């Protein structure tokens, strides 16, 4: 039976090369798209699966019951005492541990000196952890022992990649590495190396430092307040058989009992909740996440689009199979006359469809392999395409499903022909078959038009955000991280030297700058108010030239200056902060703000008001912000504002100055506009993927339209010949063949535009700064859809209109 199916498929392919190509290539492109997307989805779903007993591991987060800002999200980290308090008070907790991502330490300087040779470089994603961290989290150690790696103070656990960069082929264990921080150089001993190959975790660690050390441990030990310094990520592992719901219910009495006084003193109310570790990467979008997480919503969107692309390819197969029903009608009639049952014919046509799908799979694997580098660039995932066993199972299921889906309608349609009618040359239900084909074409182009509109709207939204006035100058700003005490000590020398360069306008420093995460804050309240009226205001500690360098505009008062020696007690606020505190922009200068910290009552005097600016990107409304010269590390980053666009020369000259003043410390830089643009990476990635899917969907839909037009022209070739003989022009022939298909496209436009507008308007609602879907976007989408369809249809129509009519009419 199967041998017979293969013979029939082979003969069909040989006789109808164009239609066979359209079917196989369309299915192949659809399958390749789904293969790539399934690979991406499986990669995203694979996070935090490596941990033993991962179903018992939870992160503790909190939400503010009394919100200072209605749009405030919950917070991913907690205060320092929470971890040991949970272990002590709640019997369900088997173990608890903490991870500390210290503010402004986004990069650390790693140095290893051996035999007079110094190897040093900056490395990201280093985290301080408790000594029992690896009792909860599972990492594959290729050197050292996980259970004891962090037992001794000053221990360091590094990834295989870091070990290779630091030590080459040397044994890394027990080697001393110097960690350069702004406040000192500290010795750490390598006690373990973990395999970071293909590891997937919401903690994208390159190395772990023992929290018990000579740099931060003293500060950590003194963190006894249950309400402040919420920068510790707390994880618990529950005892086997524990009910997580019952455990979560105990958190509120626990926090009320333990932290009640501290929270009351600050005028805030908090509620703890748990997050299963396997849900964090795709389902958590809290403030102060350890790193940028994925999005389940994005997976649903991209997976749905990929599925629709495959459905479009299946529709092509259905349409072309049913359109060419006359070719197979006599075959069906003869088979039925010879005794074939309807059931056997259905299995025959389904078998042919599955075989075609398998042939398409072979082409799809080649296409997916060729597209993988481009797909990796879009998704930032380096997984090997066919390394996952689950992917192969999905591919097999997808191929069989595609074959059945694309073949089921033609199978029932063709097998339903009555032998007497078809052998007489008459086909029943031809009108209904034509209507179904037209309906499927409408469906194809509805999806394609929605995707075209999506690309237009998403790209314009990203362009809108990129072109908005942010309230500061992000262009021509070079950022140099100051992550070593020697570099900090030499800051003034470096600043003076850089200012001698005619290509540099001004130089400053600060604890933070727009575009990067900043979690340093303080709860302030105004004169005549109390801690029950606090406003949570993020802080930046800055040098005197900060406003000038970044182009921030003062609208009242003054900035910081060397001329004012008492500025250590001064503060500059933005307009939002002034209004949130209850002051007026016109009269706030000279007034005080207060904050209570570690049992002391403190005040700062407002000396200036800065115009509102976007610190975190345009996803959210402008938040309160404050600048001071006391709280925070002013010498975390050097910022240089350039006069020139000759970046190659200026970077070379800046590097020379750096190396002369800071020998042995690597020169690392970034541009502020690039750092700021990273806030939009997710949407840029989605835009790229939607654009890719749109092109694929249009290609497949046009292939189907091309095939149907070719078939229609073939069916009417005699009519075209007669019309041409009677004097019809090429234009009239093209119009005749095109108008039915263009009518279908207009119907698709009428369906797609309201649907696309509704979906995209809901997506835009997630932006505080957003565009509105305008008439020109609708018009552009319509024109693109019409032009694409018209080009596809007209190509075949013109070909038929200019063909040799004598040859076409010869048999009449």
């Amino acid at each position: 039976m199967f041998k017979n199916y293969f013979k029939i498929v082979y003969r069909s392919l040989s006789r109808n090369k164009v239609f066979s190509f359209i079917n196989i290539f369309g299915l192949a492109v659809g399958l390749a798209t789904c293969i790539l997307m399934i690979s991406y989805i499986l990669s995203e779903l694979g996070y935090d699966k490596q941990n033993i007993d991962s179903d018992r591991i939870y992160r503790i987060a909190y939400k503010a019951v009394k919100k200072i800002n209605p749009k405030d999200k919950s917070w991913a980290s907690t205060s320092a005492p929470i971890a040991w308090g949970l272990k002590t008070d709640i019997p369900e907790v088997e173990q608890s541990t903490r991870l500390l991502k210290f503010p402004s330490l986004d990069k650390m300087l790693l140095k290893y000196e051996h035999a007079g040779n110094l190897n040093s470089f900056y490395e990201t994603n280093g985290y301080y952890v408790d000594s029992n961290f690896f009792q909860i989290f599972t990492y594959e150690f290729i050197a050292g022992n996980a259970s004891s790696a962090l037992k001794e103070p000053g221990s360091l656990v590094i990834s295989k990649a870091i070990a290779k960069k630091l030590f080459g082929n040397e044994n890394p264990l027990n080697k001393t590495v110097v960690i350069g921080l702004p406040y000192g150089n500290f010795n750490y001993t390598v006690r373990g190396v973990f395999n970071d190959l293909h590891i997937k975790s919401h903690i994208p660690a390159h190395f772990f430092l023992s929290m018990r050390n000579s740099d931060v441990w003293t500060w950590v030990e003194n963190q006894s307040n249950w309400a402040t310094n919420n920068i510790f990520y707390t994880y618990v592992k529950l005892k086997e058989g524990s009910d997580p719901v019952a455990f979560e219910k105990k958190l509120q009495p626990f926090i009320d009992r333990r932290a009640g006084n501290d929270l009351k003193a600050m005028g805030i109310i908090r509620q703890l909740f748990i997050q299963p570790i396997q849900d964090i990467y795709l389902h958590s979008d809290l403030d102060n996440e350890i790193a940028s997480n994925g999005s389940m919503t994005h997976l649903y969107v991209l997976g749905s689009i990929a599925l629709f692309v495959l459905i479009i390819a299946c529709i092509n197969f259905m349409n072309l199979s049913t359109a060419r029903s006359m070719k197979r009608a006599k075959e069906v009639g003869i088979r039925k006359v010879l005794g074939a049952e309807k059931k056997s014919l259905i299995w025959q046509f389904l078998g042919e469809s599955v075989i075609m799908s398998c042939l398409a799979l072979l082409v799809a694997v080649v296409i997916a392999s060729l597209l993988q580098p481009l797909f990796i660039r879009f998704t930032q995932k380096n997984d090997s395409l066919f390394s996952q066993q689950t992917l192969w199972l999905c591919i097999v299921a997808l191929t069989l499903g595609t074959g059945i889906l694309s073949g089921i309608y033609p199978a029932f349609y063709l097998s339903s022909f009555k032998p007497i009618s078809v052998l007489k040359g008459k086909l029943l239900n031809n009108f209904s078959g034509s209507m179904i084909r037209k309906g499927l074409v409408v469906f194809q182009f509805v999806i394609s038009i929605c995707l075209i509109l999506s690309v237009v709207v998403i790209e314009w939204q990203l362009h809108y955000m990129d072109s908005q006035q942010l309230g500061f100058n992000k262009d021509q700003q070079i950022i140099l991280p100051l992550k070593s005490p020697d570099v900090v000590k030499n800051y003034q020398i470096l600043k003076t030297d850089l200012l001698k360069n005619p290509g540099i306008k001004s130089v400053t420093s600060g604890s933070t700058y727009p575009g990067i995460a900043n979690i340093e804050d303080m709860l302030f309240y105004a004169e005549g108010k109390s801690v029950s009226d606090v406003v949570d205001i993020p802080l930046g500690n800055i040098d005197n030239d900060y406003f000038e360098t970044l182009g921030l505009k003062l609208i009242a008062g003054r900035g910081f200056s060397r001329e004012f020696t008492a500025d250590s007690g001064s503060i500059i606020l933005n307009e939002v902060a002034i209004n949130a505190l209850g002051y007026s922009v016109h009269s706030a200068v000279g007034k005080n703000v207060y904050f209570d910290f570690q049992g002391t009552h403190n005040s700062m005097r407002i000396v200036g008001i800065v115009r509102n600016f976007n610190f975190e990107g345009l996803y959210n409304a402008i938040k309160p912000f404050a600048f001071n010269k006391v709280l925070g590390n002013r010498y975390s980053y050097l910022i240089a504002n350039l006069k020139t666009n000759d970046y190659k020369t200026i970077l070379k000259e800046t590097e020379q100055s750096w190396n002369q003043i800071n020998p042995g410390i690597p020169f690392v830089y970034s541009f502020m506009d690039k750092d700021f643009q990273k806030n939009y990476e997710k949407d840029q990635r989605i835009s790229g993927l939607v654009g890719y899917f749109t092109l694929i969907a249009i290609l497949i839909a046009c292939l189907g339209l091309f095939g149907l037009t070719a078939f229609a022209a073939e069916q009417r070739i005699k009519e075209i010949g007669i019309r041409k003989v009677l004097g019809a022009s090429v234009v009239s022939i093209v119009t005749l063949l095109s108008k039915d298909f263009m009518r279908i496209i207009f119907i698709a436009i009428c369906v797609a535009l309201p649907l696309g507008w509704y979906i995209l308007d809901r997506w835009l609602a997630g932006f505080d700064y957003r565009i509105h879907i305008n008439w020109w976007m609708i018009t552009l989408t319509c024109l693109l859809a019409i032009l694409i369809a018209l080009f596809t249809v007209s190509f075949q129509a013109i070909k038929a209109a200019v063909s040799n009519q004598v040859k076409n009419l010869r048999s009449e």
Side-chain angles (χ1 to χ4, degrees):
M1 181 175 68
F2 285 105
K3 183 179 179 181
N4 186 45
Y5 290 168
F6 277 109
K7 284 183 179 180
I8 294 172
V9 171
Y10 175 75
R11 290 169 183 169
S12 178
L13 292 175
S14 302
R15 293 171 184 169
N16 306 282
K17 294 182 176 59
V18 173
F19 295 105
S20 299
F21 171 80
I22 291 173
N23 272 335
I24 292 177
F25 185 72
L27 284 175
V29 172
L31 282 171
T33 300
C34 284
I35 288 171
L36 291 170
M37 186 45 57
I38 290 172
S39 174
Y40 176 69
I41 291 173
L42 290 175
S43 175
E44 291 289 277
L45 292 173
Y47 274 73
D48 294 301
K49 303 293 186 185
Q50 78 279 2
N51 297 294
I52 298 174
D53 299 323
S54 59
D55 59 325
R56 294 194 280 135
I57 302 173
Y58 298 86
R59 184 172 73 180
I60 308 298
Y62 81 78
K63 58 183 175 183
V65 178
K66 177 185 175 183
K67 291 187 176 182
I68 298 168
N69 184 335
K71 291 191 175 183
D72 283 347
K73 295 180 182 178
S74 299
W75 195 255
S77 50
T78 64
S79 58
I82 295 289
W84 68 261
L86 291 170
K87 180 72 165 59
T88 304
D89 292 9
I90 302 182
E92 286 92 339
V93 177
E94 180 180 305
Q95 189 58 273
S96 64
T97 193
R98 298 171 300 179
L99 178 146
L100 172 61
K101 185 178 73 171
F102 218 75
S104 77
L105 293 185
D106 55 330
K107 297 182 182 71
M108 296 186 190
L109 181 61
L110 276 61
K111 296 187 287 188
Y112 172 65
E113 188 170 3
H114 179 66
N117 296 320
L118 177 64
N119 184 11
S120 65
F121 53 88
Y122 285 106
E123 191 59 55
T124 60
N125 297 3
Y127 305 107
Y128 293 100
V129 293
D130 280 326
S131 58
N132 61 355
F133 183 80
F134 294 113
Q135 293 179 25
I136 292 182
F137 291 91
T138 305
Y139 284 78
E140 179 191 353
F141 272 60
I142 57 177
N145 190 301
S147 61
S148 60
L150 296 171
K151 187 175 181 180
E152 298 180 18
S155 298
L156 176 66
V157 174
I158 59 178
S159 68
K160 181 180 178 181
I162 299 297
K164 185 70 175 178
K165 288 172 69 175
L166 273 174
F167 308 109
N169 295 323
E170 294 182 46
N171 180 7
L173 288 183
N174 302 318
K175 294 285 195 307
T176 299
V177 176
V178 177
I179 304 292
L181 305 175
Y183 40 84
N185 291 313
F186 302 93
N187 292 333
Y188 281 81
T189 304
V190 178
R191 300 296 185 187
V193 179
F194 64 88
N195 188 2
D196 57 341
L197 187 63
H198 302 310
I199 192 169
K200 296 180 184 296
S201 173
H202 73 283
I203 307 172
H206 296 159
F207 59 100
F208 295 102
L209 306 99
S210 170
M211 210 177 292
R212 295 173 60 229
N213 49 48
S214 56
D215 48 308
V216 302
W217 180 242
T218 302
W219 178 83
V220 171
E221 274 194 310
N222 291 327
Q223 298 307 301
S224 57
N225 191 294
W226 292 74
T228 59
N229 288 323
N230 293 281
I231 57 175
F232 293 84
Y233 299 87
T234 301
Y235 297 88
V236 297
K237 183 177 181 180
L238 301 185
K239 292 177 181 177
E240 194 167 354
S242 296
D243 181 4
V245 176
F247 166 69
E248 189 172 36
K249 288 180 179 178
K250 294 182 179 182
L251 294 180
Q252 195 57 43
F254 161 78
I255 196 67
D256 291 341
R257 181 176 65 255
R258 284 287 197 172
N261 292 334
D262 290 338
L263 291 171
K264 185 178 179 181
M266 297 180 65
I268 56 178
I269 302 172
R270 285 182 183 156
Q271 181 179 333
L272 298 181
F273 63 95
I274 62 174
Q275 294 180 289
I277 189 174
Q278 293 186 11
D279 290 351
I280 292 175
Y281 180 73
L282 285 176
H283 299 277
S284 181
D285 184 27
L286 310 184
D287 275 338
N288 197 34
E289 291 283 0
I290 294 177
S292 178
N293 286 335
S295 168
M296 199 67 194
T297 302
H298 287 172
L299 293 191
Y300 284 134
V301 170
L302 295 175
S304 299
I305 294 175
L307 184 61
F308 279 129
V309 168
L310 184 60
I311 291 174
I312 289 174
C314 292
I315 287 173
N316 280 355
F317 188 95
M318 296 179 197
N319 276 343
L320 292 177
S321 297
T322 56
R324 297 177 61 250
S325 56
M326 182 66 75
K327 302 280 186 180
R328 303 293 300 269
K330 290 184 179 180
E331 176 193 341
V332 172
I334 292 172
R335 285 180 180 275
K336 284 195 171 184
V337 168
L338 295 175
E341 297 181 356
K342 181 178 180 179
K343 181 172 67 174
S344 65
L345 289 171
I346 290 173
W347 280 111
Q348 175 194 330
F349 291 125
L350 280 177
E352 291 178 23
S353 176
V354 170
I355 292 171
M356 293 276 280
S357 184
C358 292
L359 292 174
L361 175 63
L362 299 177
V363 181
V365 170
V366 176
I367 294 173
S369 300
L370 294 174
L371 289 177
Q372 188 183 14
L374 180 63
F375 198 71
I376 287 174
R377 193 181 73 184
F378 278 146
T379 61
Q380 303 297 307
K381 301 291 180 185
N382 290 314
D383 295 342
S384 177
L385 184 58
F386 301 109
S387 62
Q388 303 178 67
Q389 185 177 1
T390 307
L391 177 62
W392 283 108
L393 295 175
C394 291
I395 289 173
V396 171
L398 190 67
T399 303
L400 294 176
T402 300
I404 294 171
L405 177 64
S406 58
I408 194 165
Y409 172 64
F412 279 93
Y413 178 76
L414 293 172
S415 63
S416 65
F417 292 158
K418 294 181 178 180
I420 296 176
S421 298
V422 296
L423 291 176
K424 287 182 177 180
K426 299 178 181 179
L427 277 178
L428 299 178
N429 300 321
N430 199 35
F431 175 76
S432 61
S434 175
M435 290 303 296
I436 291 174
R437 284 196 297 274
K438 290 178 180 179
L440 291 174
V441 173
V442 168
F443 179 78
Q444 283 183 313
F445 274 88
V446 165
I447 296 172
S448 301
I449 293 164
C450 284
L451 288 174
I452 293 172
L453 182 61
S454 298
V455 171
V456 173
V457 172
I458 292 172
E459 283 297 318
W460 194 250
Q461 172 65 22
L462 292 176
H463 172 73
Y464 173 80
M465 292 193 297
D466 191 47
S467 61
Q468 284 300 291
Q469 293 296 322
L470 301 170
F472 68 94
N473 180 21
K474 64 181 173 62
D475 299 319
Q476 294 185 302
Q477 306 277 13
I478 296 179
I479 310 296
L480 305 182
L482 309 176
K483 302 300 181 184
S484 164
D486 295 328
V487 173
V488 172
K489 183 176 65 177
N490 294 331
Y491 165 71
Q492 290 296 341
I493 301 173
L494 179 61
K495 177 179 179 179
T496 301
D497 193 67
L498 291 177
L499 287 173
K500 295 176 182 177
N501 191 317
I504 296 178
K505 185 187 299 183
S506 61
V507 176
T508 189
S509 70
S511 62
T512 187
Y513 61 90
I516 64 171
N518 176 59
I519 63 172
E520 293 182 337
D521 63 344
M522 189 60 68
L523 298 176
F524 292 102
Y525 56 94
E527 293 176 356
K529 296 187 178 182
S530 65
V531 291
S532 61
D533 303 303
V534 292
V535 178
D536 187 8
I537 302 180
L539 285 167
N541 189 332
I542 60 173
D543 200 6
N544 294 321
D545 303 319
Y546 194 88
F547 291 164
E548 175 191 347
T549 303
L550 270 68
L552 293 164
K553 303 297 183 184
L554 285 163
I555 60 174
R558 62 174 178 83
F560 296 131
S561 171
R562 296 183 186 87
E563 299 174 4
F564 297 90
T565 56
D567 271 347
S568 59
S570 302
I571 192 169
I572 299 173
L573 301 166
N574 68 351
E575 298 169 81
V576 174
I578 292 292
N579 294 329
L581 287 165
Y583 288 133
S584 167
V585 172
H586 305 291
S587 60
V589 175
K591 288 186 167 56
N592 290 324
V593 293
Y594 302 98
F595 64 97
D596 296 342
F597 185 70
Q598 295 182 346
T600 63
H601 181 71
N602 306 276
S603 67
M604 302 185 85
R605 185 168 175 267
I606 301 173
V607 298
I609 301 173
V610 66
R611 181 175 295 162
N612 286 335
F613 62 97
N614 292 93
F615 196 91
E616 301 175 334
L618 295 169
Y619 287 101
N620 302 307
I622 295 173
K623 295 180 179 180
F625 205 90
F627 298 100
N628 78 109
K629 295 179 75 70
V630 178
L631 304 173
N633 177 23
R634 187 186 316 164
Y635 301 109
S636 294
Y637 303 97
L638 179 147
I639 306 169
N641 182 218
L642 308 182
K643 295 179 182 177
T644 176
N645 291 323
D646 186 3
Y647 297 122
K648 184 176 180 180
T649 300
I650 202 72
L651 286 172
K652 182 179 179 180
E653 293 170 350
T654 303
E655 184 174 9
Q656 289 173 352
S657 297
W658 176 278
N659 291 334
Q660 289 173 3
I661 297 169
N662 301 304
I665 299 176
F667 173 73
V668 177
Y669 69 92
S670 65
F671 288 98
M672 186 180 292
D673 57 344
K674 300 296 182 184
D675 291 341
F676 199 87
Q677 201 65 24
K678 289 177 182 177
N679 290 294
Y680 310 133
E681 274 186 345
K682 280 186 181 179
D683 285 300
Q684 287 172 335
R685 197 174 301 152
I686 291 297
S687 174
L689 288 171
V690 172
Y692 161 78
F693 284 132
T694 301
L695 289 175
I696 296 299
I698 291 171
L699 172 64
I700 297 174
C702 287
L703 279 174
L705 194 60
F706 180 88
L708 287 176
T709 309
F711 179 76
E714 180 183 322
Q715 292 293 96
R716 304 177 71 174
I717 197 70
K718 306 297 183 183
E719 175 190 349
I720 293 170
I722 294 171
R723 287 177 179 273
K724 286 290 295 292
V725 169
L726 295 176
S729 65
V730 172
V731 173
S732 64
I733 298 296
V734 171
T735 303
L736 174 71
L737 292 174
S738 301
K739 65 180 181 181
D740 286 342
F741 290 103
M742 294 312 299
R743 190 180 296 118
I744 293 173
I745 303 305
F746 282 116
I747 294 172
I749 289 173
C750 293
V751 175
L753 291 181
L755 178 63
W757 181 90
Y758 173 76
I759 294 171
L760 290 165
D761 191 64
R762 294 195 63 181
W763 175 74
L764 288 170
F767 297 87
D768 273 289
Y769 297 87
R770 53 163 289 183
I771 62 171
H772 293 280
I773 302 175
N774 295 320
W775 65 268
W776 70 264
M777 298 178 187
I778 303 294
T779 304
L780 178 62
T781 301
C782 293
L783 285 175
L784 287 173
I786 292 169
L787 288 174
I788 290 168
L790 191 60
F791 176 80
T792 305
V793 172
S794 298
F795 181 83
Q796 276 296 335
I798 292 171
K799 181 181 177 182
V802 299
S803 61
N804 189 334
Q805 306 308 321
V806 174
K807 182 179 178 181
N808 294 336
L809 293 172
R810 185 184 304 163
S811 61
E812 292 298 320

